[in-house]
Amino acid sequence: MKELLRSTDPTIIAFASALLQGEDIDCFQIDVNMSILEGGIGIFPRRLMVRDDDHAAAEIVMRDNEIPLGR
């Protein structure tokens, strides 16, 4: 799996996940529990991961929808 997106904004992660699912690209959020532990003040970013084979296609989806990849 490769990191596609890193953000402290949960709405961006949710939107990106929905876009990827619409394109039949599987994705997985990591660091969700860490961001919950910090109390929602936005210190720790969540990361969105995709399979290595889907990474290039996923980046195109993000660029087409003007979602910054946050790296």
Side-chain angles (χ1 to χ4, degrees):
M1 302 218 49
K2 279 180 106 170
E3 180 181 325
L4 173 68
L5 173 65
R6 182 183 298 223
S7 178
T8 56
D9 185 349
T11 60
I12 296 289
I13 298 289
F15 181 52
S17 295
L19 289 170
L20 292 171
Q21 289 172 358
E23 296 290 328
D24 291 326
I25 298 173
D26 293 326
C27 60
F28 182 75
Q29 289 184 41
I30 59 174
D31 300 327
V32 174
N33 291 334
M34 191 58 117
S35 66
I36 291 170
L37 286 175
E38 51 100 6
I41 58 176
I43 295 173
F44 298 110
R46 294 180 185 190
R47 293 181 286 165
L48 193 62
M49 308 294 283
V50 296
R51 284 184 277 154
D52 292 343
D53 296 342
D54 292 333
H55 193 266
E59 280 187 334
I60 291 169
V61 172
M62 296 298 105
R63 268 196 309 269
D64 288 349
N65 289 280
E66 299 178 0
I67 297 176
L69 296 179
R71 290 187 232 146

